[in-house]
Amino acid sequence: MQEIRRFKPSTVSRQFSVAAGFYRTCVLDGLLQHSLAEHVRRPAVPAESPTLGFTHLQFEALLTTARESPNPCDFALVAMLGLLGLRIFEATSADIADLGEEHGHRVLRVCGKGSKVVQVPLPPAVGRAIDRAAGLRDRGPILLNTRGARMDRHAATRRLRRLAQATGLRTKVHPHMLRHTYVICTASDVVRDMGSAA
């Protein structure tokens, strides 16, 4: 996987853990005397993620480009990933019906890893971006691709790369960079800037 398919150590380790678990189950069920994966060394995976986020200025530039895009889903996508810290599958699976209100605050119901459902408070600027993407629709996905169907992670990655290119960012952009940006940047400062610019 590393030498031929050029997978990263984290990918190899994660995929091999499936095979190791399978052989361990076979041993427990008495189908094998010992695990064939027992002595296979897995690549070392650093405890900290090597993924870097955008700088504050890069993220603001990306937000501006997305806001000025003729496709309203671009701005909603960048806002949901970078200002709410959603994972890409959480953002693309969000529906208009998931929007609601809780204790006087506008929220988005998000189904995360392990089918864990949480209510994410929406800053006003993110709420406006989502409303703009939804338009007059009252049901269906928040984020649409160029064909009017639900945006998937591949379409989202392509949209982000086009936006980054239009912004002038030279780094190879992928959705998880915006989640890292959410952690690194002070999201409230960016939201305040967006509110004054909107």
Side-chain angles (χ1 to χ4, degrees), residues 68-115:
E68 293 171 354
S69 169
N71 185 343
C73 289
D74 288 347
F75 188 35
L77 173 66
V78 173
M80 290 170 77
L81 297 178
L83 295 175
L84 297 182
L86 299 185
R87 296 176 177 90
I88 187 61
F89 78 88
E90 294 169 341
T92 55
S93 64
D95 289 328
I96 295 169
D98 295 328
L99 294 167
E101 208 169 291
E102 193 77 27
H103 304 297
H105 295 284
R106 199 153 180 229
V107 296
L108 176 66
R109 182 176 167 272
V110 174
C111 184
K113 277 188 174 180
S115 299

Side-chain angles (χ1 to χ4, degrees), residues 146-163:
T146 53
R147 296 179 181 176
R150 182 184 296 276
M151 186 184 291
D152 62 14
R153 61 189 179 94
H154 304 293
T157 302
R158 288 193 297 272
R159 295 301 312 161
L160 287 173
R161 287 183 178 160
R162 286 194 189 103
L163 289 169

